[in-house]
Amino acid sequence: MIPLQQVWPDDLAALYRAKGYWRGETFSQLLRNRVEAQADAVAVVGMDQRWTYGELLAKAETAAAGFLALGLKPGDRVVVQLPNLPEFLSVIFGLFRAKLIPVYALPAHRSTEIVHFLRRAEASAYVVADRHEGFDYRALARAVQAEVPELRHVVVVGEAEEFASFDAFRADPASLPTEDADPSDVAFLQISGGSTGLSKLIPRTHDDYLYSVRESAVISKLSSSSVYLTALPAAHNFPMSSPGYLGALYVGATVVMSPSPSPDACFPLIEREGVTITGLVPPLALLWMQAAPRKTHDISSLEVLLVGGAKFLPEAARRVRPELGCTLQQVFGMAEGLVNYTRLDDPETLIVETQGRPISPDDEILIVDDAGAPVAEGEPGNLLTRGPYTIRAYHNEPAANARSFTDDGFYRTGDVVQRTPEGYLVVMGRATDHINRAGEKISAEEVEDHLLAHPAVFDAAVVSVPDDYLGERICAFVIPNGTAPRGVELKAWMRKRDIADFKVPDQIVFVEDFAVTAVGKVSRRELRAALRQRILEEE
Ligand code: J2J
């Protein structure tokens, strides 16, 4: 197995420790500390479950012992694909306790993506729920297991059928090793948005991630009386850590898991549980504002709404306070590290018009032109960053690492930003060819590769198009090979390729050629830019 690591230069690691950013804490310790302080406080609430901190720890320990009893060994990687159930937390804290490494997949992922994650992570186990939103994950597990024989264990939360049943884990936690993980070790693998090709794996350490979680909790003013609603899929970095359910657990607050982010699912939970804070992507924030006037539930307990994952336009941002009655906190973050927040007591103009400023005084921000030279203060440029919780490398991706990081360790975010005189960042656009569809990042190249596999497709170029609701939608330009198939057929065919549904193009435009007349060879990027321009002009 290729070892997991995340290495900072010695001098910076020493600085981050000396400044108290890296405190030598682990995820297991986080939960133990909370239990020592407040075992009987409510930690997690589901549709019909309610667990105290003491119960969450007990369940995590049973889970840890159960995973090890299957034959898994510390350091083994486990792909976790669960909806927002309380068990999401007992599974991951169980894995942390057993020093197993979760790899976070989204419920929307299908066999193409899961097989990729399993192989890249060299995972030996896969945890799924039985069913969610009408989809049977056991069938997916069967398909995946047929393709990846190295996958030795499938564990199911719910009706397990022929697989190992999580609910029936009975091993004695007394058998668990007492030694905790090394805080500088990789704790889990997060999934990148994937600007080129397939998603990459992001190794995050206990030390670096817990720093961002702890500070985020401070910045969002979480306390033990806060109630955090997990509305977005729990595997996403945003609801996990900005400040997310981990930030909430860190300070002893209550976490409510909603199976769906829709107002219909969330508003009743907000009323029932007195939710004080949650996080949404912009299209959902719009949906919530639309639903608010005719709401049948009292959502007045909500104090803070975080919005991020994609640009929240000022016109929409301005409506949050009057229409939802809470403070907006914009968040511009990335699973690779850097997270920016507007502060709760910032002037309304900063809250509405910017995407915030970094968590840490030691987050280094460079804004450079395409040649790598710093732009004049206040001008837009490419955002590069490094710091105490930003990765230095993806897992086992030499080519991508060479592209994505500078020689002195700055991560090239791919985002184009501008800095205000107050030091706040405004996201202006991006330099990479991915589509940010309602906060899900989709690689144009990956979608093109799928389209090119169709016998009637001669060539395909995939671009993002502005969309009132989604922020951006996926538009595919396709040159047919002979008779063009119908758009709906091509979409249906894409769905059958077992990929996440959010990657299927929203719009397909058949063209005879790409009509790019520039002399010489045109790069894919230039081609996509020209086609995007064409569709913008037509609209
Ligand atoms: C514009 N673009 C944004 C914003 C992210 C908190 C919040 C979000 C993420 C996330 C996260 C944006 N305005 N407010 O991990 O902890 C785009 C940028 C960025 C990319 C990262 C968190 N907030 N983005 O979205 O890894 O392009 O993380 O580089 O999914 O989303 O995507 P992701």
Side-chain angles (χ1 to χ4, degrees), residues 191-193 236-238 241-242 307-312 330-339 355 411 413 415 427 430 434 436 439 441:
I191 305 292
S192 81
H236 264 299
N237 199 57
F238 173 12
S241 64
S242 295
V307 179
K311 174 94 171 197
F312 198 33
Q330 294 217 41
V331 51
F332 162 41
M334 52 207 73
E336 285 82 355
L338 180 72
V339 182
Q355 279 65 58
Y411 169 56
T413 65
D415 295 311
V427 181
R430 66 172 168 270
H434 65 260
N436 187 334
K441 320 306 180 303

PDB file of all heavy atoms in Angstrom, residues 191-193 236-238 241-242 307-312 330-339 355 411 413 415 427 430 434 436 439 441, ligand 1:
ATOM      1  N   ILE A 191     -12.262  14.202  -0.963  1.00  0.00           N
ATOM      2  CA  ILE A 191     -12.290  14.072  -2.424  1.00  0.00           C
ATOM      3  C   ILE A 191     -12.180  15.463  -3.057  1.00  0.00           C
ATOM      4  O   ILE A 191     -12.910  16.373  -2.652  1.00  0.00           O
ATOM      5  CB  ILE A 191     -13.640  13.439  -2.857  1.00  0.00           C
ATOM      6  CG1 ILE A 191     -13.889  12.100  -2.152  1.00  0.00           C
ATOM      7  CG2 ILE A 191     -13.719  13.300  -4.364  1.00  0.00           C
ATOM      8  CD1 ILE A 191     -12.980  11.004  -2.531  1.00  0.00           C
ATOM      9  N   SER A 192     -11.320  15.609  -4.051  1.00  0.00           N
ATOM     10  CA  SER A 192     -11.193  16.924  -4.705  1.00  0.00           C
ATOM     11  C   SER A 192     -12.317  17.119  -5.716  1.00  0.00           C
ATOM     12  O   SER A 192     -12.898  16.156  -6.214  1.00  0.00           O
ATOM     13  CB  SER A 192      -9.868  17.029  -5.437  1.00  0.00           C
ATOM     14  OG  SER A 192      -9.974  16.392  -6.694  1.00  0.00           O
ATOM     15  N   GLY A 193     -12.573  18.380  -6.005  1.00  0.00           N
ATOM     16  CA  GLY A 193     -13.570  18.705  -7.008  1.00  0.00           C
ATOM     17  C   GLY A 193     -13.171  18.212  -8.388  1.00  0.00           C
ATOM     18  O   GLY A 193     -14.018  18.012  -9.249  1.00  0.00           O
ATOM     19  N   HIS A 236     -19.312  16.254   2.319  1.00  0.00           N
ATOM     20  CA  HIS A 236     -18.701  17.475   1.796  1.00  0.00           C
ATOM     21  C   HIS A 236     -17.860  18.160   2.865  1.00  0.00           C
ATOM     22  O   HIS A 236     -18.245  18.211   4.032  1.00  0.00           O
ATOM     23  CB  HIS A 236     -19.781  18.461   1.351  1.00  0.00           C
ATOM     24  CG  HIS A 236     -20.081  18.399  -0.110  1.00  0.00           C
ATOM     25  ND1 HIS A 236     -19.134  18.665  -1.059  1.00  0.00           N
ATOM     26  CD2 HIS A 236     -21.211  18.113  -0.781  1.00  0.00           C
ATOM     27  CE1 HIS A 236     -19.674  18.543  -2.266  1.00  0.00           C
ATOM     28  NE2 HIS A 236     -20.942  18.188  -2.122  1.00  0.00           N
ATOM     29  N   ASN A 237     -16.767  18.762   2.430  1.00  0.00           N
ATOM     30  CA  ASN A 237     -15.893  19.454   3.370  1.00  0.00           C
ATOM     31  C   ASN A 237     -16.604  20.603   4.090  1.00  0.00           C
ATOM     32  O   ASN A 237     -16.320  20.874   5.254  1.00  0.00           O
ATOM     33  CB  ASN A 237     -14.686  19.992   2.604  1.00  0.00           C
ATOM     34  CG  ASN A 237     -13.538  20.308   3.508  1.00  0.00           C
ATOM     35  OD1 ASN A 237     -13.069  19.439   4.241  1.00  0.00           O
ATOM     36  ND2 ASN A 237     -13.074  21.551   3.481  1.00  0.00           N
ATOM     37  N   PHE A 238     -17.507  21.277   3.402  1.00  0.00           N
ATOM     38  CA  PHE A 238     -18.184  22.460   3.963  1.00  0.00           C
ATOM     39  C   PHE A 238     -19.004  22.091   5.211  1.00  0.00           C
ATOM     40  O   PHE A 238     -18.727  22.599   6.312  1.00  0.00           O
ATOM     41  CB  PHE A 238     -18.962  23.131   2.824  1.00  0.00           C
ATOM     42  CG  PHE A 238     -19.877  24.283   3.160  1.00  0.00           C
ATOM     43  CD1 PHE A 238     -19.871  24.914   4.388  1.00  0.00           C
ATOM     44  CD2 PHE A 238     -20.758  24.766   2.181  1.00  0.00           C
ATOM     45  CE1 PHE A 238     -20.726  25.972   4.663  1.00  0.00           C
ATOM     46  CE2 PHE A 238     -21.608  25.824   2.437  1.00  0.00           C
ATOM     47  CZ  PHE A 238     -21.603  26.422   3.691  1.00  0.00           C
ATOM     48  N   SER A 241     -16.730  20.823   8.195  1.00  0.00           N
ATOM     49  CA  SER A 241     -15.730  21.573   8.959  1.00  0.00           C
ATOM     50  C   SER A 241     -15.878  23.084   8.932  1.00  0.00           C
ATOM     51  O   SER A 241     -15.065  23.787   9.519  1.00  0.00           O
ATOM     52  CB  SER A 241     -14.342  21.214   8.433  1.00  0.00           C
ATOM     53  OG  SER A 241     -14.216  21.627   7.085  1.00  0.00           O
ATOM     54  N   SER A 242     -16.846  23.610   8.226  1.00  0.00           N
ATOM     55  CA  SER A 242     -16.932  25.072   8.105  1.00  0.00           C
ATOM     56  C   SER A 242     -18.236  25.614   8.692  1.00  0.00           C
ATOM     57  O   SER A 242     -19.096  26.036   7.939  1.00  0.00           O
ATOM     58  CB  SER A 242     -16.794  25.469   6.637  1.00  0.00           C
ATOM     59  OG  SER A 242     -15.531  25.143   6.144  1.00  0.00           O
ATOM     60  N   VAL A 307     -23.231  30.493   3.731  1.00  0.00           N
ATOM     61  CA  VAL A 307     -23.449  30.178   2.317  1.00  0.00           C
ATOM     62  C   VAL A 307     -22.093  30.159   1.627  1.00  0.00           C
ATOM     63  O   VAL A 307     -21.286  31.080   1.772  1.00  0.00           O
ATOM     64  CB  VAL A 307     -24.394  31.187   1.626  1.00  0.00           C
ATOM     65  CG1 VAL A 307     -24.566  30.835   0.146  1.00  0.00           C
ATOM     66  CG2 VAL A 307     -25.765  31.196   2.309  1.00  0.00           C
ATOM     67  N   GLY A 308     -21.838  29.081   0.885  1.00  0.00           N
ATOM     68  CA  GLY A 308     -20.574  28.965   0.160  1.00  0.00           C
ATOM     69  C   GLY A 308     -20.597  27.787  -0.780  1.00  0.00           C
ATOM     70  O   GLY A 308     -21.632  27.166  -0.999  1.00  0.00           O
ATOM     71  N   GLY A 309     -19.441  27.489  -1.341  1.00  0.00           N
ATOM     72  CA  GLY A 309     -19.327  26.391  -2.306  1.00  0.00           C
ATOM     73  C   GLY A 309     -19.367  26.908  -3.727  1.00  0.00           C
ATOM     74  O   GLY A 309     -18.856  26.285  -4.652  1.00  0.00           O
ATOM     75  N   ALA A 310     -20.012  28.054  -3.912  1.00  0.00           N
ATOM     76  CA  ALA A 310     -20.067  28.740  -5.201  1.00  0.00           C
ATOM     77  C   ALA A 310     -20.389  30.188  -4.877  1.00  0.00           C
ATOM     78  O   ALA A 310     -20.796  30.502  -3.756  1.00  0.00           O
ATOM     79  CB  ALA A 310     -21.153  28.134  -6.090  1.00  0.00           C
ATOM     80  N   LYS A 311     -20.214  31.049  -5.867  1.00  0.00           N
ATOM     81  CA  LYS A 311     -20.401  32.476  -5.608  1.00  0.00           C
ATOM     82  C   LYS A 311     -21.858  32.791  -5.261  1.00  0.00           C
ATOM     83  O   LYS A 311     -22.775  32.403  -5.987  1.00  0.00           O
ATOM     84  CB  LYS A 311     -19.978  33.263  -6.847  1.00  0.00           C
ATOM     85  CG  LYS A 311     -20.261  34.740  -6.764  1.00  0.00           C
ATOM     86  CD  LYS A 311     -19.082  35.532  -6.260  1.00  0.00           C
ATOM     87  CE  LYS A 311     -19.356  37.018  -6.423  1.00  0.00           C
ATOM     88  NZ  LYS A 311     -18.166  37.830  -6.333  1.00  0.00           N
ATOM     89  N   PHE A 312     -22.022  33.489  -4.162  1.00  0.00           N
ATOM     90  CA  PHE A 312     -23.344  33.967  -3.754  1.00  0.00           C
ATOM     91  C   PHE A 312     -23.398  35.419  -4.174  1.00  0.00           C
ATOM     92  O   PHE A 312     -22.636  36.251  -3.662  1.00  0.00           O
ATOM     93  CB  PHE A 312     -23.485  33.820  -2.244  1.00  0.00           C
ATOM     94  CG  PHE A 312     -24.899  33.851  -1.732  1.00  0.00           C
ATOM     95  CD1 PHE A 312     -25.959  33.337  -2.478  1.00  0.00           C
ATOM     96  CD2 PHE A 312     -25.176  34.365  -0.465  1.00  0.00           C
ATOM     97  CE1 PHE A 312     -27.261  33.350  -1.980  1.00  0.00           C
ATOM     98  CE2 PHE A 312     -26.476  34.380   0.038  1.00  0.00           C
ATOM     99  CZ  PHE A 312     -27.519  33.872  -0.725  1.00  0.00           C
ATOM    100  N   GLN A 330     -20.717  34.413   4.732  1.00  0.00           N
ATOM    101  CA  GLN A 330     -20.215  33.833   3.475  1.00  0.00           C
ATOM    102  C   GLN A 330     -18.957  33.033   3.785  1.00  0.00           C
ATOM    103  O   GLN A 330     -18.129  33.434   4.615  1.00  0.00           O
ATOM    104  CB  GLN A 330     -19.890  34.930   2.458  1.00  0.00           C
ATOM    105  CG  GLN A 330     -21.107  35.688   2.004  1.00  0.00           C
ATOM    106  CD  GLN A 330     -21.041  36.057   0.520  1.00  0.00           C
ATOM    107  OE1 GLN A 330     -20.617  35.280  -0.342  1.00  0.00           O
ATOM    108  NE2 GLN A 330     -21.498  37.253   0.217  1.00  0.00           N
ATOM    109  N   VAL A 331     -18.812  31.917   3.090  1.00  0.00           N
ATOM    110  CA  VAL A 331     -17.632  31.087   3.280  1.00  0.00           C
ATOM    111  C   VAL A 331     -17.111  30.636   1.925  1.00  0.00           C
ATOM    112  O   VAL A 331     -17.869  30.162   1.073  1.00  0.00           O
ATOM    113  CB  VAL A 331     -17.907  29.896   4.230  1.00  0.00           C
ATOM    114  CG1 VAL A 331     -19.143  29.116   3.830  1.00  0.00           C
ATOM    115  CG2 VAL A 331     -16.709  28.956   4.332  1.00  0.00           C
ATOM    116  N   PHE A 332     -15.834  30.861   1.729  1.00  0.00           N
ATOM    117  CA  PHE A 332     -15.150  30.467   0.489  1.00  0.00           C
ATOM    118  C   PHE A 332     -14.037  29.520   0.923  1.00  0.00           C
ATOM    119  O   PHE A 332     -13.042  29.942   1.504  1.00  0.00           O
ATOM    120  CB  PHE A 332     -14.622  31.740  -0.196  1.00  0.00           C
ATOM    121  CG  PHE A 332     -13.547  31.542  -1.224  1.00  0.00           C
ATOM    122  CD1 PHE A 332     -13.593  30.490  -2.143  1.00  0.00           C
ATOM    123  CD2 PHE A 332     -12.481  32.433  -1.294  1.00  0.00           C
ATOM    124  CE1 PHE A 332     -12.596  30.336  -3.105  1.00  0.00           C
ATOM    125  CE2 PHE A 332     -11.477  32.292  -2.252  1.00  0.00           C
ATOM    126  CZ  PHE A 332     -11.531  31.236  -3.148  1.00  0.00           C
ATOM    127  N   GLY A 333     -14.299  28.238   0.702  1.00  0.00           N
ATOM    128  CA  GLY A 333     -13.341  27.245   1.179  1.00  0.00           C
ATOM    129  C   GLY A 333     -13.043  26.209   0.130  1.00  0.00           C
ATOM    130  O   GLY A 333     -13.570  26.261  -0.988  1.00  0.00           O
ATOM    131  N   MET A 334     -12.197  25.286   0.501  1.00  0.00           N
ATOM    132  CA  MET A 334     -11.842  24.204  -0.418  1.00  0.00           C
ATOM    133  C   MET A 334     -11.367  23.003   0.396  1.00  0.00           C
ATOM    134  O   MET A 334     -10.760  23.179   1.467  1.00  0.00           O
ATOM    135  CB  MET A 334     -10.778  24.667  -1.407  1.00  0.00           C
ATOM    136  CG  MET A 334      -9.559  25.293  -0.778  1.00  0.00           C
ATOM    137  SD  MET A 334      -8.753  26.479  -1.883  1.00  0.00           S
ATOM    138  CE  MET A 334      -9.887  27.876  -1.876  1.00  0.00           C
ATOM    139  N   ALA A 335     -11.661  21.810  -0.109  1.00  0.00           N
ATOM    140  CA  ALA A 335     -11.289  20.602   0.625  1.00  0.00           C
ATOM    141  C   ALA A 335      -9.770  20.494   0.764  1.00  0.00           C
ATOM    142  O   ALA A 335      -9.267  19.818   1.654  1.00  0.00           O
ATOM    143  CB  ALA A 335     -11.852  19.373  -0.085  1.00  0.00           C
ATOM    144  N   GLU A 336      -9.032  21.170  -0.104  1.00  0.00           N
ATOM    145  CA  GLU A 336      -7.566  21.162  -0.025  1.00  0.00           C
ATOM    146  C   GLU A 336      -7.053  21.973   1.153  1.00  0.00           C
ATOM    147  O   GLU A 336      -5.880  21.872   1.499  1.00  0.00           O
ATOM    148  CB  GLU A 336      -6.969  21.731  -1.321  1.00  0.00           C
ATOM    149  CG  GLU A 336      -7.022  20.800  -2.524  1.00  0.00           C
ATOM    150  CD  GLU A 336      -8.376  20.813  -3.245  1.00  0.00           C
ATOM    151  OE1 GLU A 336      -9.305  21.476  -2.747  1.00  0.00           O
ATOM    152  OE2 GLU A 336      -8.486  20.167  -4.295  1.00  0.00           O
ATOM    153  N   GLY A 337      -7.905  22.843   1.727  1.00  0.00           N
ATOM    154  CA  GLY A 337      -7.436  23.603   2.880  1.00  0.00           C
ATOM    155  C   GLY A 337      -8.119  24.948   3.015  1.00  0.00           C
ATOM    156  O   GLY A 337      -9.276  25.014   3.417  1.00  0.00           O
ATOM    157  N   LEU A 338      -7.401  26.010   2.645  1.00  0.00           N
ATOM    158  CA  LEU A 338      -7.836  27.403   2.882  1.00  0.00           C
ATOM    159  C   LEU A 338      -9.354  27.610   2.972  1.00  0.00           C
ATOM    160  O   LEU A 338     -10.085  27.240   2.063  1.00  0.00           O
ATOM    161  CB  LEU A 338      -7.296  28.298   1.751  1.00  0.00           C
ATOM    162  CG  LEU A 338      -7.693  29.782   1.878  1.00  0.00           C
ATOM    163  CD1 LEU A 338      -6.934  30.431   3.022  1.00  0.00           C
ATOM    164  CD2 LEU A 338      -7.446  30.521   0.578  1.00  0.00           C
ATOM    165  N   VAL A 339      -9.765  28.240   4.052  1.00  0.00           N
ATOM    166  CA  VAL A 339     -11.172  28.628   4.203  1.00  0.00           C
ATOM    167  C   VAL A 339     -11.231  30.088   4.647  1.00  0.00           C
ATOM    168  O   VAL A 339     -10.507  30.511   5.549  1.00  0.00           O
ATOM    169  CB  VAL A 339     -11.911  27.746   5.239  1.00  0.00           C
ATOM    170  CG1 VAL A 339     -13.385  28.144   5.323  1.00  0.00           C
ATOM    171  CG2 VAL A 339     -11.807  26.258   4.877  1.00  0.00           C
ATOM    172  N   GLN A 355     -16.350  37.359  -0.040  1.00  0.00           N
ATOM    173  CA  GLN A 355     -16.366  35.953   0.374  1.00  0.00           C
ATOM    174  C   GLN A 355     -15.487  35.737   1.609  1.00  0.00           C
ATOM    175  O   GLN A 355     -15.077  34.630   1.907  1.00  0.00           O
ATOM    176  CB  GLN A 355     -15.932  35.059  -0.795  1.00  0.00           C
ATOM    177  CG  GLN A 355     -17.056  34.770  -1.783  1.00  0.00           C
ATOM    178  CD  GLN A 355     -17.534  36.011  -2.511  1.00  0.00           C
ATOM    179  OE1 GLN A 355     -16.758  36.685  -3.185  1.00  0.00           O
ATOM    180  NE2 GLN A 355     -18.813  36.331  -2.375  1.00  0.00           N
ATOM    181  N   TYR A 411      -0.436  26.113  -3.018  1.00  0.00           N
ATOM    182  CA  TYR A 411      -1.480  25.422  -3.760  1.00  0.00           C
ATOM    183  C   TYR A 411      -2.108  26.395  -4.750  1.00  0.00           C
ATOM    184  O   TYR A 411      -2.489  27.511  -4.387  1.00  0.00           O
ATOM    185  CB  TYR A 411      -2.542  24.881  -2.786  1.00  0.00           C
ATOM    186  CG  TYR A 411      -3.800  24.387  -3.459  1.00  0.00           C
ATOM    187  CD1 TYR A 411      -3.737  23.396  -4.449  1.00  0.00           C
ATOM    188  CD2 TYR A 411      -5.048  24.898  -3.111  1.00  0.00           C
ATOM    189  CE1 TYR A 411      -4.891  22.949  -5.080  1.00  0.00           C
ATOM    190  CE2 TYR A 411      -6.206  24.447  -3.740  1.00  0.00           C
ATOM    191  CZ  TYR A 411      -6.120  23.485  -4.724  1.00  0.00           C
ATOM    192  OH  TYR A 411      -7.264  23.053  -5.351  1.00  0.00           O
ATOM    193  N   THR A 413      -5.095  27.396  -6.410  1.00  0.00           N
ATOM    194  CA  THR A 413      -6.514  27.089  -6.177  1.00  0.00           C
ATOM    195  C   THR A 413      -7.311  27.002  -7.478  1.00  0.00           C
ATOM    196  O   THR A 413      -8.369  26.388  -7.513  1.00  0.00           O
ATOM    197  CB  THR A 413      -7.179  28.172  -5.295  1.00  0.00           C
ATOM    198  OG1 THR A 413      -7.177  29.399  -6.035  1.00  0.00           O
ATOM    199  CG2 THR A 413      -6.428  28.364  -3.984  1.00  0.00           C
ATOM    200  N   ASP A 415      -8.754  29.535  -8.586  1.00  0.00           N
ATOM    201  CA  ASP A 415      -9.749  30.610  -8.473  1.00  0.00           C
ATOM    202  C   ASP A 415      -9.123  31.963  -8.805  1.00  0.00           C
ATOM    203  O   ASP A 415      -7.957  32.207  -8.487  1.00  0.00           O
ATOM    204  CB  ASP A 415     -10.309  30.656  -7.043  1.00  0.00           C
ATOM    205  CG  ASP A 415     -11.082  29.399  -6.711  1.00  0.00           C
ATOM    206  OD1 ASP A 415     -11.944  29.010  -7.519  1.00  0.00           O
ATOM    207  OD2 ASP A 415     -10.818  28.793  -5.657  1.00  0.00           O
ATOM    208  N   VAL A 427     -14.468  36.494  -4.952  1.00  0.00           N
ATOM    209  CA  VAL A 427     -14.215  35.514  -6.006  1.00  0.00           C
ATOM    210  C   VAL A 427     -14.779  36.063  -7.315  1.00  0.00           C
ATOM    211  O   VAL A 427     -15.966  36.386  -7.404  1.00  0.00           O
ATOM    212  CB  VAL A 427     -14.856  34.143  -5.675  1.00  0.00           C
ATOM    213  CG1 VAL A 427     -14.553  33.140  -6.780  1.00  0.00           C
ATOM    214  CG2 VAL A 427     -14.342  33.624  -4.336  1.00  0.00           C
ATOM    215  N   ARG A 430     -12.737  31.773 -12.329  1.00  0.00           N
ATOM    216  CA  ARG A 430     -11.697  30.767 -12.120  1.00  0.00           C
ATOM    217  C   ARG A 430     -10.941  30.539 -13.402  1.00  0.00           C
ATOM    218  O   ARG A 430     -11.411  30.869 -14.497  1.00  0.00           O
ATOM    219  CB  ARG A 430     -12.302  29.473 -11.599  1.00  0.00           C
ATOM    220  CG  ARG A 430     -13.189  28.833 -12.603  1.00  0.00           C
ATOM    221  CD  ARG A 430     -13.651  27.471 -12.192  1.00  0.00           C
ATOM    222  NE  ARG A 430     -14.716  27.102 -13.102  1.00  0.00           N
ATOM    223  CZ  ARG A 430     -15.988  27.371 -12.881  1.00  0.00           C
ATOM    224  NH1 ARG A 430     -16.371  27.936 -11.774  1.00  0.00           N
ATOM    225  NH2 ARG A 430     -16.882  27.062 -13.787  1.00  0.00           N
ATOM    226  N   HIS A 434     -13.563  23.709 -14.932  1.00  0.00           N
ATOM    227  CA  HIS A 434     -14.576  22.831 -14.351  1.00  0.00           C
ATOM    228  C   HIS A 434     -15.884  23.601 -14.256  1.00  0.00           C
ATOM    229  O   HIS A 434     -15.910  24.813 -14.437  1.00  0.00           O
ATOM    230  CB  HIS A 434     -14.143  22.233 -13.011  1.00  0.00           C
ATOM    231  CG  HIS A 434     -13.974  23.224 -11.917  1.00  0.00           C
ATOM    232  ND1 HIS A 434     -12.747  23.708 -11.529  1.00  0.00           N
ATOM    233  CD2 HIS A 434     -14.886  23.841 -11.126  1.00  0.00           C
ATOM    234  CE1 HIS A 434     -12.911  24.571 -10.545  1.00  0.00           C
ATOM    235  NE2 HIS A 434     -14.187  24.677 -10.275  1.00  0.00           N
ATOM    236  N   ASN A 436     -19.027  24.559 -11.875  1.00  0.00           N
ATOM    237  CA  ASN A 436     -19.467  24.592 -10.477  1.00  0.00           C
ATOM    238  C   ASN A 436     -20.987  24.582 -10.512  1.00  0.00           C
ATOM    239  O   ASN A 436     -21.639  25.606 -10.590  1.00  0.00           O
ATOM    240  CB  ASN A 436     -18.925  25.837  -9.770  1.00  0.00           C
ATOM    241  CG  ASN A 436     -19.214  25.818  -8.271  1.00  0.00           C
ATOM    242  OD1 ASN A 436     -20.170  25.192  -7.836  1.00  0.00           O
ATOM    243  ND2 ASN A 436     -18.400  26.512  -7.504  1.00  0.00           N
ATOM    244  N   GLY A 439     -22.557  24.102  -6.542  1.00  0.00           N
ATOM    245  CA  GLY A 439     -21.553  23.759  -5.527  1.00  0.00           C
ATOM    246  C   GLY A 439     -20.813  22.456  -5.814  1.00  0.00           C
ATOM    247  O   GLY A 439     -19.756  22.215  -5.251  1.00  0.00           O
ATOM    248  N   LYS A 441     -18.388  20.384  -7.997  1.00  0.00           N
ATOM    249  CA  LYS A 441     -17.396  20.718  -9.013  1.00  0.00           C
ATOM    250  C   LYS A 441     -17.276  19.547  -9.987  1.00  0.00           C
ATOM    251  O   LYS A 441     -17.041  18.416  -9.562  1.00  0.00           O
ATOM    252  CB  LYS A 441     -16.044  21.003  -8.366  1.00  0.00           C
ATOM    253  CG  LYS A 441     -16.089  21.807  -7.062  1.00  0.00           C
ATOM    254  CD  LYS A 441     -16.834  23.109  -7.183  1.00  0.00           C
ATOM    255  CE  LYS A 441     -16.908  23.953  -5.913  1.00  0.00           C
ATOM    256  NZ  LYS A 441     -17.472  23.385  -4.708  1.00  0.00           N
TER     257      LYS A 441
HETATM  258  C1  J2J B   1     -17.148  31.216  -4.977  1.00  0.00           C
HETATM  259  N1  J2J B   1     -16.564  30.020  -5.176  1.00  0.00           N
HETATM  260  C2  J2J B   1     -16.477  29.196  -4.122  1.00  0.00           C
HETATM  261  C3  J2J B   1     -17.563  30.831  -2.695  1.00  0.00           C
HETATM  262  C4  J2J B   1     -16.096  27.570  -2.731  1.00  0.00           C
HETATM  263  C5  J2J B   1     -16.406  25.690   2.849  1.00  0.00           C
HETATM  264  C6  J2J B   1     -17.127  26.180   1.776  1.00  0.00           C
HETATM  265  C7  J2J B   1     -16.990  25.632   0.509  1.00  0.00           C
HETATM  266  C8  J2J B   1     -16.131  24.556   0.301  1.00  0.00           C
HETATM  267  C9  J2J B   1     -16.020  23.986  -1.061  1.00  0.00           C
HETATM  268  C10 J2J B   1     -15.395  24.061   1.377  1.00  0.00           C
HETATM  269  C11 J2J B   1     -16.956  29.548  -2.843  1.00  0.00           C
HETATM  270  N2  J2J B   1     -17.625  31.614  -3.781  1.00  0.00           N
HETATM  271  N3  J2J B   1     -18.068  31.251  -1.526  1.00  0.00           N
HETATM  272  O1  J2J B   1     -14.540  23.029   1.248  1.00  0.00           O
HETATM  273  O2  J2J B   1     -14.819  24.126   3.696  1.00  0.00           O
HETATM  274  C12 J2J B   1     -15.361  27.193  -5.105  1.00  0.00           C
HETATM  275  C13 J2J B   1     -13.942  27.626  -5.415  1.00  0.00           C
HETATM  276  C14 J2J B   1     -13.105  26.644  -4.606  1.00  0.00           C
HETATM  277  C15 J2J B   1     -13.914  25.386  -4.748  1.00  0.00           C
HETATM  278  C16 J2J B   1     -13.660  24.354  -3.670  1.00  0.00           C
HETATM  279  C17 J2J B   1     -15.534  24.624   2.661  1.00  0.00           C
HETATM  280  N4  J2J B   1     -16.699  28.519  -2.006  1.00  0.00           N
HETATM  281  N5  J2J B   1     -15.956  27.954  -4.002  1.00  0.00           N
HETATM  282  O3  J2J B   1     -16.784  24.347  -1.962  1.00  0.00           O
HETATM  283  O4  J2J B   1     -13.475  21.549  -2.393  1.00  0.00           O
HETATM  284  O5  J2J B   1     -13.755  27.434  -6.790  1.00  0.00           O
HETATM  285  O6  J2J B   1     -15.010  23.090  -1.262  1.00  0.00           O
HETATM  286  O7  J2J B   1     -11.786  26.495  -5.087  1.00  0.00           O
HETATM  287  O8  J2J B   1     -15.966  21.460  -2.921  1.00  0.00           O
HETATM  288  O9  J2J B   1     -15.278  25.832  -4.695  1.00  0.00           O
HETATM  289  O10 J2J B   1     -14.616  23.328  -3.760  1.00  0.00           O
HETATM  290  P1  J2J B   1     -14.753  22.254  -2.586  1.00  0.00           P
END
